[in-house]
Amino acid sequence: MESMEKLRHIRCFLMDMDGTIYLGNQLLPGAQSWLDLLNENGIPYYFLTNNSSRSRVEYTEKFTRLGLDVPQEQIFTSGEATAIYLHQHFADAALYVVGTPALMTEFERNGFELTDNDPDVAVLGFDTTLTYDKLWKLCVLVTAGKPYIATHPDINCPTEDGFKPDIGSMIELVATSTGRRPDVIIGKPNRPIVDALVQKTGFAVEEHCMIGDRLYTDIALGRWGMTTALVLSGETQVEDLTRSEYQPDILAADIAKMTELLKKALKG
C-alpha cells in the first residue's frame, strides 16, 4: 500500500536506459506499454543516463531502431549535466576531456574550448575510445593539481554479453596512479545531477521517481528525497539488497511490472 501511495504522488518519472528499458540492443519486455501508459495519462518523463559516451541524438536514434518514439528533449545524460555544472563553476574554462567524440561535441556545443595544452579543468567521461596516451595526459594534469571532474561513477556498463568496464574503473586506475579522486562527480547519485534535473523538469525533488537497475546510482538518489524504484532486469540481483545501504521504495521484476503497479495506483 505504501508503494501505491508513493506512486500516486509522483509528477515526473525518470528512467535509466541500459538494464531498465533495454539491454544492449534488445528492448526489454513492457517498455512500450510503460511509455504508452505515461503518455496516455499525461505524466512527464525523462530518460536519465549516466552514460556520457553517447549524445542525445545517438540515444534518440537507438530508441527509433528499437521501435520507440522518444524526442531528444526527453533524454538527459551525465554529459549534459556536466556541461551545466561547468557553466556554473568554470564558465570560461578550457577543458581537457577524456571522452568520446560525442562527449567532446557536447562540451563544444555548450561553448567550451577543448585543448591538450595547459587546460584549466580535466574532465573524465566514459570513453570507449580510450587510449594509454589519454590516460597518461589525464594523470599528469591530476598530479599537477588541475580541477578534476568526472561525469559519473558507474563501475560497469551492462551489455547483452555481460558487463564492460565503465568510468568508475578508470577513476580507480587514476587514483592508484596519482593518489587523487575526482573533485566532483556529476552523475547519479550525486547532487549536481539532481540540481540540473530539477532545473530541467520544474518539479520538486520529492515529486520525481527514479526507476533503474543499479543500487549505488539509481536507488541512491533516494538520499535526496526522491522516490526510487528498482527493476531486476539489469545489474542488480535481489540478493544484492541484503548487502546494500541503498534500499528502493519500490521493487519490481522489470518495467512491465512497473506498468502494472502504476495502473493500480492511478485507479486509486
Side-chain angles (χ1 to χ4, degrees), residues 84-124:
I84 291 172
Y85 177 87
L86 289 169
H87 267 302
Q88 293 170 341
H89 298 275
F90 301 95
D92 299 317
L95 310 177
Y96 175 71
V97 178
V98 177
T100 58
L103 182 60
M104 292 183 174
T105 298
E106 180 73 49
F107 290 130
E108 289 175 330
R109 185 175 65 84
N110 279 275
F112 288 101
E113 176 191 352
L114 306 186
T115 183
D116 293 347
N117 184 24
D118 194 28
D120 301 302
V121 180
V123 180
L124 174 61

Side-chain angles (χ1 to χ4, degrees), residues 174-232:
V174 174
T176 300
S177 175
T178 67
R180 274 187 72 193
R181 295 182 179 278
D183 302 316
V184 179
I185 301 178
I186 304 298
K188 300 176 290 184
N190 299 303
R191 188 71 203 200
I193 201 167
V194 174
D195 292 339
L197 273 167
V198 168
Q199 179 180 324
K200 187 177 185 72
T201 69
F203 296 110
V205 175
E206 60 271 15
E207 293 178 309
H208 296 82
C209 177
M210 179 69 218
I211 305 171
D213 68 305
R214 283 194 176 111
L215 291 167
Y216 66 95
T217 55
D218 302 315
I219 306 310
L221 284 173
R223 65 184 178 180
W224 306 116
M226 192 179 293
T227 296
T228 60
L230 177 69
V231 289
L232 300 173

